[in-house]
Amino acid sequence: LHPRYSPDGLQLAFARSDMAYRADLHLVPVEGGPVSKLSSGQREILGLAWSRDGGRILFSAAPDGIPALYALDPATAGEPVRLEDRIERVEGVGAAEGLVTFESLRYTVNILRLELGEGSGGLRPVVASTRQDHSPHLNAGGERLVFLSDRSGSLEIWTSDAEGRDPRRLTSFGGPLLT
């Protein structure tokens, strides 16, 4: 829900989700009254904050599967403006106008290899980057690997040799997550 008081203390902004994790921003007077829906169709709202002047509500959401920071004018609602990609959770506003504090959960997921049998040498990295590489599958001959990676900025299908050398992107979706 992430309820947050407006800077003047008269309103509360909050996120409300349905069972499918689609969330919308809402506004309600602190003294009670009708709830106003400010947005629609967000994927999951991970946090929100008011700008110091109350003119914007900043929130993190992932409507296309990629977390980002958005701003919305609570007076007019309208379409949220995407400010920055890869922002996981907005927690508050800094002490000066124009500053926002937020959590950025960035982690890597790499593909490892384990040789089965005695004396195999244990785990070793095969495909690694500063982003997420996952869902590996070797071809029947064991010489080619296919995997998913967001190393290009969006989740795409990649191939390499079985050792992870010569990675090549096969797709250029440039947008929402694949399923």
Side-chain angles (χ1 to χ4, degrees):
L1 289 172
H2 312 287
R4 298 291 186 261
Y5 282 103
S6 61
D8 63 11
L10 299 177
Q11 301 180 87
L12 280 174
F14 64 95
R16 185 172 180 203
S17 301
D18 64 16
M19 295 302 287
Y21 297 103
R22 288 183 304 262
D24 295 311
L25 286 178
H26 293 78
L27 200 59
V28 65
V30 172
E31 299 299 320
V35 174
S36 302
K37 185 175 173 182
L38 299 178
S39 70
S40 62
Q42 300 305 318
R43 177 116 179 238
E44 181 179 9
I45 294 178
L46 304 166
L48 62 98
W50 287 83
S51 63
R52 291 180 55 79
D53 66 1
R56 293 191 296 178
I57 297 173
L58 304 169
F59 64 98
S60 56
D64 58 2
I66 300 171
L69 178 65
Y70 292 85
L72 180 71
D73 181 342
T76 62
E79 190 67 27
V81 176
R82 191 177 192 128
L83 301 176
E84 183 69 34
D85 286 338
R86 303 228 176 254
I87 304 298
E88 295 289 337
R89 184 172 292 129
V90 175
E91 288 298 336
V93 175
E97 183 59 36
L99 293 179
V100 62
T101 58
F102 59 88
E103 239 175 68
S104 180
L105 303 173
R106 296 179 187 211
Y107 58 93
T108 61
V109 178
N110 296 310
I111 297 172
L112 305 175
R113 180 178 183 148
L114 175 63
E115 301 269 342
L116 299 176
E118 289 190 37
S120 65
L123 290 174
R124 65 182 178 83
V126 175
V127 176
S129 72
T130 59
R131 295 307 238 335
Q132 295 182 50
D133 299 306
H134 58 88
S135 304
H137 181 76
L138 284 169
N139 70 352
E143 66 274 347
R144 298 294 303 165
L145 179 69
V146 63
F147 59 97
L148 298 179
S149 179
D150 67 353
R151 62 179 62 195
S152 64
S154 63
L155 193 59
E156 305 288 350
I157 299 172
W158 289 71
T159 64
S160 70
D161 71 9
E163 299 298 319
R165 294 182 298 254
D166 194 28
R168 295 183 185 178
R169 185 175 66 186
L170 292 183
T171 60
S172 296
F173 298 118
L177 291 175
L178 301 172
T179 56

